[in-house]
Amino acid sequence: MATVLKVAVPRNDMRSFFYSLLGYFLTPAGLLVMGALDSSLIFFLPLGIDFAVIVLSARQPHLFWLYALLATAGSALGAAVTFWIGRKVGEHGLGRLMKPARLKRVQNRVAGHAGFGVAVLGLIPPPFPFTAFVLASGAFGGHAWTFFTTMAAVRLVRFAAEGGLAA
């Protein structure tokens, strides 16, 4: 019979792991990565990017504008991947990813004016399902240039306001 070796992870090691992970996201490179992950289908941490912008701006007030730019760039990168996935799966594939009732509501808001819809939604902090609208904008054939220009401008305003207030 095989014996099972139990290894207990000390509580302090787990805490230090999470502190180091959090510490990474509270760097300029980590802010860029968190922005990209936050706007993608992979990762969701409500108010995570906002929290990182606020903490970094409070620590170094003279760089709040840089943190706003990095968060916006990361957000645009993550949204680009999500938009592209929406383009690839199309309207038919989107029906498999969302419930029909939710899909219909998203389609009504996105149809014809995806750029304006994303502008308003880009200002609203989580837990609003921003990623679903980015995905739907790609699936329903939204104009990419208008979409990304509007989204980046609105996100920059949001992150600059948060960073400026924290500074």
Side-chain angles (χ1 to χ4, degrees):
M1 219 197 246
T3 60
V4 177
L5 178 64
K6 289 187 177 183
V7 178
V9 177
R11 187 173 176 100
N12 290 338
D13 288 346
M14 216 39 159
R15 187 176 298 159
S16 65
F17 169 74
F18 284 115
Y19 284 156
S20 66
L21 186 64
L22 179 63
Y24 171 74
F25 283 122
L26 293 177
T27 64
L31 185 64
L32 186 69
V33 170
M34 182 180 267
L37 289 174
D38 188 52
S39 294
S40 70
L41 295 170
I42 300 169
F43 179 78
F44 178 71
L45 179 63
L47 297 173
I49 187 71
D50 301 291
F51 174 75
V53 169
I54 290 168
V55 169
L56 287 169
S57 297
R59 284 183 179 172
Q60 295 180 324
H62 62 285
L63 293 177
F64 83 92
W65 60 271
L66 176 65
Y67 301 134
L69 286 173
L70 288 171
T72 301
S75 184
L77 183 65
V81 171
T82 303
F83 189 87
W84 178 77
I85 290 171
R87 279 275 163 94
K88 291 297 177 188
V89 300
E91 189 175 340
H92 178 66
L94 198 59
R96 288 188 243 151
L97 297 174
M98 288 187 201
K99 296 177 184 174
R102 185 175 192 183
L103 179 62
K104 190 65 176 167
R105 282 191 313 241
V106 170
Q107 184 178 13
N108 289 339
R109 292 202 181 161
V110 170
H113 51 280
F116 178 74
V118 168
V120 173
L121 300 175
L123 288 174
I124 301 171
F128 192 80
F130 179 72
T131 306
F133 282 87
V134 174
L135 189 66
S137 295
F140 296 129
H143 189 262
W145 179 252
T146 304
F147 176 84
F148 287 111
T149 304
T150 306
M151 189 211 66
V154 170
R155 286 288 173 131
L156 182 60
V157 167
R158 174 177 153 190
F159 295 137
E162 290 172 349
L165 289 172

